[in-house]
PDB file of all heavy atoms in Angstrom:
ATOM      1  N   MET A 142     -10.203 -17.912  20.210  1.00 87.00           N
ATOM      2  CA  MET A 142     -11.520 -17.870  20.877  1.00 87.00           C
ATOM      3  C   MET A 142     -12.171 -19.215  20.667  1.00 87.00           C
ATOM      4  O   MET A 142     -12.208 -19.716  19.554  1.00 87.00           O
ATOM      5  CB  MET A 142     -12.382 -16.792  20.214  1.00 87.00           C
ATOM      6  CG  MET A 142     -12.338 -15.450  20.884  1.00 87.00           C
ATOM      7  SD  MET A 142     -13.406 -14.276  20.053  1.00 87.00           S
ATOM      8  CE  MET A 142     -14.801 -14.205  21.168  1.00 87.00           C
ATOM      9  N   ARG A 146     -19.566 -16.276  23.009  1.00 95.00           N
ATOM     10  CA  ARG A 146     -20.657 -16.069  23.973  1.00 95.00           C
ATOM     11  C   ARG A 146     -20.765 -14.598  24.342  1.00 95.00           C
ATOM     12  O   ARG A 146     -19.813 -14.007  24.844  1.00 95.00           O
ATOM     13  CB  ARG A 146     -20.394 -16.920  25.221  1.00 95.00           C
ATOM     14  CG  ARG A 146     -20.645 -18.392  24.964  1.00 95.00           C
ATOM     15  CD  ARG A 146     -20.327 -19.206  26.173  1.00 95.00           C
ATOM     16  NE  ARG A 146     -20.962 -18.683  27.383  1.00 95.00           N
ATOM     17  CZ  ARG A 146     -20.934 -19.325  28.544  1.00 95.00           C
ATOM     18  NH1 ARG A 146     -20.317 -20.494  28.648  1.00 95.00           N
ATOM     19  NH2 ARG A 146     -21.521 -18.799  29.606  1.00 95.00           N
ATOM     20  N   THR A 147     -21.941 -14.040  24.096  1.00 96.00           N
ATOM     21  CA  THR A 147     -22.126 -12.604  24.367  1.00 96.00           C
ATOM     22  C   THR A 147     -22.422 -12.337  25.847  1.00 96.00           C
ATOM     23  O   THR A 147     -22.610 -11.190  26.244  1.00 96.00           O
ATOM     24  CB  THR A 147     -23.240 -12.031  23.482  1.00 96.00           C
ATOM     25  OG1 THR A 147     -24.406 -12.825  23.662  1.00 96.00           O
ATOM     26  CG2 THR A 147     -22.833 -12.026  22.031  1.00 96.00           C
ATOM     27  N   LEU A 149     -20.104 -13.295  27.935  1.00 95.00           N
ATOM     28  CA  LEU A 149     -18.739 -13.216  28.457  1.00 95.00           C
ATOM     29  C   LEU A 149     -18.043 -12.004  27.820  1.00 95.00           C
ATOM     30  O   LEU A 149     -18.405 -11.596  26.711  1.00 95.00           O
ATOM     31  CB  LEU A 149     -17.957 -14.500  28.125  1.00 95.00           C
ATOM     32  CG  LEU A 149     -18.476 -15.780  28.808  1.00 95.00           C
ATOM     33  CD1 LEU A 149     -17.709 -17.005  28.310  1.00 95.00           C
ATOM     34  CD2 LEU A 149     -18.357 -15.671  30.325  1.00 95.00           C
ATOM     35  N   PRO A 150     -17.031 -11.416  28.530  1.00 94.00           N
ATOM     36  CA  PRO A 150     -16.464 -10.139  28.070  1.00 94.00           C
ATOM     37  C   PRO A 150     -15.940 -10.154  26.625  1.00 94.00           C
ATOM     38  O   PRO A 150     -16.205  -9.223  25.865  1.00 94.00           O
ATOM     39  CB  PRO A 150     -15.320  -9.878  29.062  1.00 94.00           C
ATOM     40  CG  PRO A 150     -15.689 -10.639  30.275  1.00 94.00           C
ATOM     41  CD  PRO A 150     -16.470 -11.829  29.827  1.00 94.00           C
ATOM     42  N   GLN A 151     -15.184 -11.195  26.260  1.00 94.00           N
ATOM     43  CA  GLN A 151     -14.574 -11.169  24.928  1.00 94.00           C
ATOM     44  C   GLN A 151     -15.622 -11.264  23.811  1.00 94.00           C
ATOM     45  O   GLN A 151     -15.566 -10.526  22.824  1.00 94.00           O
ATOM     46  CB  GLN A 151     -13.550 -12.308  24.791  1.00 94.00           C
ATOM     47  CG  GLN A 151     -12.572 -12.024  23.671  1.00 94.00           C
ATOM     48  CD  GLN A 151     -11.562 -13.147  23.468  1.00 94.00           C
ATOM     49  OE1 GLN A 151     -11.825 -14.301  23.798  1.00 94.00           O
ATOM     50  NE2 GLN A 151     -10.408 -12.819  22.928  1.00 94.00           N
ATOM     51  N   GLY A 152     -16.608 -12.156  24.013  1.00 95.00           N
ATOM     52  CA  GLY A 152     -17.673 -12.301  23.019  1.00 95.00           C
ATOM     53  C   GLY A 152     -18.493 -11.028  22.903  1.00 95.00           C
ATOM     54  O   GLY A 152     -18.885 -10.618  21.807  1.00 95.00           O
ATOM     55  N   ARG A 153     -18.730 -10.379  24.049  1.00 97.00           N
ATOM     56  CA  ARG A 153     -19.518  -9.142  24.054  1.00 97.00           C
ATOM     57  C   ARG A 153     -18.771  -8.033  23.300  1.00 97.00           C
ATOM     58  O   ARG A 153     -19.375  -7.253  22.568  1.00 97.00           O
ATOM     59  CB  ARG A 153     -19.786  -8.713  25.507  1.00 97.00           C
ATOM     60  CG  ARG A 153     -20.997  -7.799  25.647  1.00 97.00           C
ATOM     61  CD  ARG A 153     -21.590  -7.856  27.041  1.00 97.00           C
ATOM     62  NE  ARG A 153     -20.592  -7.687  28.092  1.00 97.00           N
ATOM     63  CZ  ARG A 153     -20.456  -8.508  29.130  1.00 97.00           C
ATOM     64  NH1 ARG A 153     -21.245  -9.549  29.261  1.00 97.00           N
ATOM     65  NH2 ARG A 153     -19.532  -8.285  30.040  1.00 97.00           N
ATOM     66  N   LEU A 154     -17.450  -8.002  23.458  1.00 97.00           N
ATOM     67  CA  LEU A 154     -16.635  -6.997  22.777  1.00 97.00           C
ATOM     68  C   LEU A 154     -16.755  -7.177  21.249  1.00 97.00           C
ATOM     69  O   LEU A 154     -16.995  -6.221  20.512  1.00 97.00           O
ATOM     70  CB  LEU A 154     -15.165  -7.151  23.205  1.00 97.00           C
ATOM     71  CG  LEU A 154     -14.221  -6.048  22.781  1.00 97.00           C
ATOM     72  CD1 LEU A 154     -14.449  -4.791  23.606  1.00 97.00           C
ATOM     73  CD2 LEU A 154     -12.762  -6.486  22.944  1.00 97.00           C
ATOM     74  N   VAL A 155     -16.626  -8.423  20.805  1.00 97.00           N
ATOM     75  CA  VAL A 155     -16.734  -8.712  19.365  1.00 97.00           C
ATOM     76  C   VAL A 155     -18.148  -8.387  18.879  1.00 97.00           C
ATOM     77  O   VAL A 155     -18.325  -7.810  17.802  1.00 97.00           O
ATOM     78  CB  VAL A 155     -16.358 -10.192  19.085  1.00 97.00           C
ATOM     79  CG1 VAL A 155     -16.585 -10.531  17.620  1.00 97.00           C
ATOM     80  CG2 VAL A 155     -14.902 -10.454  19.457  1.00 97.00           C
ATOM     81  N   GLU A 156     -19.148  -8.704  19.699  1.00 97.00           N
ATOM     82  CA  GLU A 156     -20.537  -8.403  19.342  1.00 97.00           C
ATOM     83  C   GLU A 156     -20.714  -6.899  19.096  1.00 97.00           C
ATOM     84  O   GLU A 156     -21.307  -6.474  18.098  1.00 97.00           O
ATOM     85  CB  GLU A 156     -21.464  -8.856  20.479  1.00 97.00           C
ATOM     86  CG  GLU A 156     -22.934  -8.598  20.195  1.00 97.00           C
ATOM     87  CD  GLU A 156     -23.799  -8.663  21.463  1.00 97.00           C
ATOM     88  OE1 GLU A 156     -23.265  -8.484  22.575  1.00 97.00           O
ATOM     89  OE2 GLU A 156     -25.006  -8.888  21.320  1.00 97.00           O
TER      90      GLU A 156
END
Side-chain angles (χ1 to χ4, degrees):
M142 266 181 104
R146 286 178 50 173
T147 54
L149 294 175
Q151 200 182 26
R153 202 156 50 231
L154 190 74
V155 175
E156 181 197 22

